[in-house]
Amino acid sequence: MPENEINVDEINEVLIKRAIAFPAAEIYGGIAGIFDFGPIGTLIRQKVKELWRNMFIWAEENVFEIEGGLLLPEPVFKASGHLDTFHDPLVQCEKCKSMFRADHLVEDTTGERADSLALEELWGKIIEQEIKCPKCKGSLTEPRQFNLMFETEVGATGGKKAYLRPETAQNIFLDFRRVSHAMRATLPFGIAQIGRSFRNEIAPRNYLVRMREFTQMEIEMFVHPEQINNHPYFYMIEDQPIRLITRKMQAEQEKEPLEITAGEAVKQGLIPNQFMAYYIAKEAQFVEELGIPRDNYWFRELLEEETAHYSAANFDLEIQTPMGVIECIGNAYRQDYDLSKHSKHSKTKLTIQYENKPVVPHVIEPSFGLDRIFYILMLVTYQAGDRKWSWFKLPPYLAPYHVKVCPLQKKDGLPEVARELFEELREELDAIYDQTGSIGKRYARADEIGIPFSVTIDYETLENETVTIRDRDSTEQIRVHVDDLFEVLHLLINADATWEEIKGSFAVESSKKSKGKRK
Ligand code: GAP
C-alpha cells in the first residue's frame, strides 16, 4: 500500500457519507477523537471481532473472555503506575493557546523519532530547530507532562476519584483471582477482553488512528515463569513465516524486514520466548486474513527507550499505510509487574497453585486496536475509478452482508419468491433484501458497502428454479440452480472456491438457450 496511491480524505468522506464511521455528536460540532460507527461500520467491526475471537479465544482451550467496568477507582491506577507515568509532553502556543504534543512537533520538523525524549531534550530541540506554533507561528511554552486519563468523581457527594480505563488490561489483572478460581484455570491460561479504552490525547489525529475513545481487543496470557519458553502448541505455528525488524537492524539502519519462521526466530534469540513468538505468528495469520499485503507489515522490536520499565520485550505490529506507518498491535512481556503491584497495593494474594506451590505468573500481552485495524481494512479495500461509484473489496467473510437478494421487478410474483429465498438464506448467512430502484442501482449500492454477492430472482426463476449470482469484484453474473445456491455461496464466502471454479462447476445456461441444464 504505497503512500499517495490512496486519497485518504476522499475515503474519509465516503466513510462519513455512507454512515460507516463519522464524528460523534456531529450536529453539535462533535469532539475531536470520538467517533460513531453506523450500521455498516458496526457490522464490519463485528466481523473483525468475530475473526479475532475465532482465532484467539475459540481456537484455544484455555482463554476466557470477560467484560469489565470502564470506570475504575483511583487506587487501581496508583498501583498500575498510570497516575504517575501515563502522560505525554504538552506544549502550548503563547499566542493562540493551541495545544500540541511536543514530540510530534519535533518529529514533524526533524523527521526523527522523538517519543522517548525527556522534557529537557524536547525543549532543547524546540529551541535548536526554532519550532513555532503550526497554526499561527507563535512561540511555544516549555513542555510539561500531561496525564492522559479522564478523571471523574463517583457518587452524589463526590469525593471518590475514579478514572475511565486507559487500557482494557487492568480489569483482567483485577479479575485474575476470581476468574482463575471460578474457571478452575491452570497455567498457562489467558483472560481476554474486547472493550472501550479512553485516553485524553493532546492531539487526536488521522481520523481513527489516534482517538480519545477507542476499542481494544486484549489478552493477558498467564504463564509459569519457568514455562515461558515452552508453549504446548508451539509446533503448530513454528513454521509460520514472519517479518521482523530487530533492535540491531534498527541500529544498523536496516529497513527491510527479516523474513524468518517463528521457530527460527526463537532459536536465534530474536524473539525472547515461545509464548511471545506464538502470538506474533498468529497475528501474522490474522493480518493475512484481513487481506493486508504481506510487504506492508512487519513486527518491530521496540528500542530500549521505547519499552516500558515493566516490560522485558515489546514487538509492535506495524502496517505501512497512506498515512505512514501505524502501530496496530502491541505485544509486551509484562512479566509479573501488574499482579505483583496490585497484590501489594490491595493486600490481596494474587497467586495460582502450580504443582502444589503458589506462583505469581508471568504475562504475555497481545493488545490489538480494533479501530486502527478496521480503518486500515477500509483503506486497503477501497476501490475507485473503475466504476461510476466507489466500492469496497472486502474479503467476503468480513463484509457487512454476505449476499443481497433482489427480485428483478416489483411485480409478477417475483418479490414473493425472492422474499421466500431471502428468509431461507438468512437462516445461515448474513443476507439483506432489496427491491427498491433499478437492478443496476441495487448492485451499485451493494458494491458501495462491500457486499460480495447479489442473487437475483427473475422470470426464468419462475420457469426453471434458477437464479443469477453477481460477483462484486468482476461484476460478472452466472446462473445457478437454487438447489446449488447454498453450497455455491458457502464455497465463495469461505474462499473455498474461486469465482472461476464456481463458474466451471455450477453455472447453468439461461433457459433462453436450454432449460436450466448444467454446462
Ligand atoms: N495494554 C497495552 C496497551 O494498551 P498500547 O500500545 O498503548 O498498549 C495497544 O495500545 C493498541 O491499542 C495499539 O497498538 C493501538 O492499536 C491501540 N491504540 C492505542 N492508543 C490508541 C488511540 N489513541 N486511538 C486508537 N487506537 C489506539
Side-chain angles (χ1 to χ4, degrees):
M1 210 190 331
E3 292 189 28
N4 76 34
E5 228 179 52
I6 297 177
N7 183 339
V8 176
D9 293 337
E10 178 186 313
I11 304 176
N12 293 347
E13 271 172 36
V14 167
L15 294 179
I16 294 173
K17 210 172 83 194
R18 296 181 195 160
I20 294 172
F22 49 97
E26 206 181 2
I27 58 170
Y28 288 100
I31 309 179
I34 307 203
F35 288 84
D36 282 356
F37 300 96
I40 300 307
T42 303
L43 286 171
I44 298 169
R45 287 160 65 86
Q46 208 59 43
K47 294 281 169 83
V48 177
K49 289 183 205 169
E50 288 315 291
L51 176 67
W52 183 82
R53 283 198 174 100
N54 271 330
M55 292 186 68
F56 293 94
I57 300 182
W58 297 328
E60 307 284 336
E61 276 172 41
N62 53 354
V63 180
F64 309 108
E65 185 175 354
I66 63 162
E67 195 177 334
L70 309 185
L71 204 54
L72 296 171
E74 185 176 37
V76 170
F77 300 109
K78 191 87 207 127
S80 68
H82 283 91
L83 269 179
D84 296 329
T85 59
F86 197 61
H87 39 53
D88 278 338
L90 169 80
V91 285
Q92 188 169 22
C93 172
E94 287 179 341
K95 205 161 121 200
C96 73
K97 306 295 173 205
S98 298
M99 313 260 195
F100 304 96
R101 255 182 78 167
D103 53 336
H104 285 173
L105 290 185
V106 170
E107 279 174 12
D108 293 345
T109 309
T110 62
E112 288 164 17
R113 292 192 81 103
D115 49 357
S116 50
L117 296 185
L119 289 181
E120 313 77 68
E121 290 171 302
L122 288 168
W123 186 226
K125 294 267 180 202
I126 289 171
I127 294 170
E128 180 193 301
Q129 301 285 332
E130 297 181 3
I131 300 175
K132 301 282 180 207
C133 168
K135 284 193 183 152
C136 75
K137 301 282 168 251
S139 299
L140 298 170
T141 59
E142 211 171 309
R144 68 176 169 88
Q145 295 295 15
F146 172 76
N147 194 290
L148 297 182
M149 285 195 296
F150 286 99
E151 181 185 319
T152 188
E153 290 197 3
V154 177
T157 52
K160 199 163 183 193
K161 267 196 199 166
Y163 295 85
L164 284 170
R165 65 184 182 194
E167 57 172 5
T168 61
Q170 289 307 316
N171 301 101
I172 296 179
F173 299 121
L174 302 174
D175 295 353
F176 165 80
R177 192 174 65 131
R178 193 165 289 288
V179 172
S180 60
H181 284 178
M183 302 311 290
R184 304 179 63 77
T186 51
L187 296 180
F189 77 95
I191 303 181
Q193 181 169 209
I194 298 181
R196 293 278 174 146
S197 294
F198 302 82
R199 297 183 191 177
N200 196 3
E201 296 284 351
I202 297 168
R205 57 183 188 174
N206 288 343
Y207 211 61
L208 304 184
V209 174
R210 190 166 297 282
M211 301 161 77
R212 287 187 165 131
E213 180 180 337
F214 55 96
T215 299
Q216 291 186 309
M217 308 188 290
E218 298 197 289
I219 301 168
E220 307 302 318
M221 197 67 205
F222 298 99
V223 186
H224 191 291
E226 286 163 19
Q227 300 293 326
I228 199 81
N229 203 24
N230 187 16
H231 192 294
Y233 297 109
F234 193 69
Y235 66 91
M236 290 178 78
I237 56 82
E238 65 185 338
D239 294 329
Q240 170 69 37
I242 50 177
R243 289 157 57 77
L244 274 189
I245 301 185
T246 62
R247 278 187 189 168
K248 185 161 170 277
M249 290 167 70
Q250 291 168 75
E252 291 165 359
Q253 308 281 326
E254 177 56 66
K255 295 222 159 64
E256 195 49 42
L258 171 72
E259 303 266 356
I260 192 166
T261 63
E264 198 50 39
V266 175
K267 234 186 246 164
Q268 291 186 23
L270 303 179
I271 298 181
N273 56 62
Q274 285 193 0
F275 270 87
M276 178 82 107
Y278 181 80
Y279 279 101
I280 288 177
K282 287 201 66 164
E283 287 159 20
Q285 294 169 354
F286 177 80
V287 176
E288 275 161 34
E289 293 283 333
L290 294 175
I292 309 288
R294 196 172 156 63
D295 286 349
N296 289 122
Y297 71 88
W298 53 81
F299 295 88
R300 185 176 70 84
E301 182 179 14
L302 297 196
L303 302 175
E304 202 177 334
E305 57 273 26
E306 297 173 283
T307 306
H309 57 284
Y310 54 77
S311 179
N314 275 76
F315 284 82
D316 281 356
L317 171 90
E318 296 183 333
I319 303 184
Q320 177 73 53
T321 77
M323 288 161 303
V325 173
I326 296 177
E327 171 212 328
C328 287
I329 307 175
N331 293 286
Y333 179 14
R334 292 179 84 131
Q335 306 174 97
D336 65 354
Y337 176 86
D338 302 87
L339 289 180
S340 297
K341 285 279 178 194
H342 284 305
S343 175
K344 189 168 154 221
H345 283 248
S346 65
K347 301 191 176 47
T348 310
K349 225 159 78 184
L350 295 178
T351 55
I352 186 166
Q353 290 298 112
Y354 186 87
E355 293 178 354
N356 295 324
K357 284 194 205 112
V359 177
V360 183
H362 274 200
V363 168
I364 293 289
E365 175 195 67
S367 171
F368 294 58
L370 173 64
D371 306 276
R372 292 185 184 179
I373 291 168
F374 164 74
Y375 188 38
I376 290 172
L377 179 66
M378 300 315 285
L379 296 182
V380 180
T381 56
Y382 183 75
Q383 310 288 318
D386 65 335
R387 303 176 192 179
K388 286 193 188 132
W389 51 92
S390 62
W391 57 288
F392 290 98
K393 196 175 179 175
L394 291 165
Y397 45 85
L398 297 177
Y401 300 100
H402 298 127
V403 58
K404 178 184 261 199
V405 180
C406 310
L408 184 65
Q409 303 277 353
K410 254 200 279 185
K411 57 183 184 183
D412 301 330
L414 296 181
E416 289 75 9
V417 178
R419 273 233 154 249
E420 201 179 314
L421 185 63
F422 164 65
E423 293 298 344
E424 276 177 41
L425 284 174
R426 75 195 299 209
E427 280 179 22
E428 285 190 32
L429 301 170
D430 298 329
I432 184 172
Y433 180 81
D434 187 1
Q435 62 172 32
T436 315
S438 72
I439 193 70
K441 285 221 173 83
R442 283 181 267 165
Y443 290 155
R445 285 202 297 268
D447 292 355
E448 281 177 352
I449 57 170
I451 301 176
F453 306 107
S454 296
V455 169
T456 300
I457 285 73
D458 56 16
Y459 291 100
E460 280 191 55
T461 314
L462 305 181
E463 278 176 28
N464 62 9
E465 297 194 326
T466 62
V467 293
T468 64
I469 305 182
R470 173 186 180 271
D471 173 44
R472 174 198 64 198
D473 297 353
S474 63
T475 72
E476 277 183 351
Q477 290 182 47
I478 56 167
R479 186 166 280 283
V480 301
H481 200 279
V482 279
D483 290 347
D484 291 334
L485 188 60
F486 273 92
E487 187 181 352
V488 165
L489 288 173
H490 275 295
L491 287 169
L492 287 169
I493 291 160
N494 297 323
D496 288 333
T498 62
W499 180 249
E500 291 305 315
E501 285 163 352
I502 292 295
K503 266 165 56 178
S505 321
F506 290 95
V508 295
E509 284 183 1
S510 164
S511 66
K512 283 166 199 144
K513 295 177 193 155
S514 77
K515 285 278 176 196
K517 291 265 151 39
R518 285 201 187 164
K519 270 186 194 167

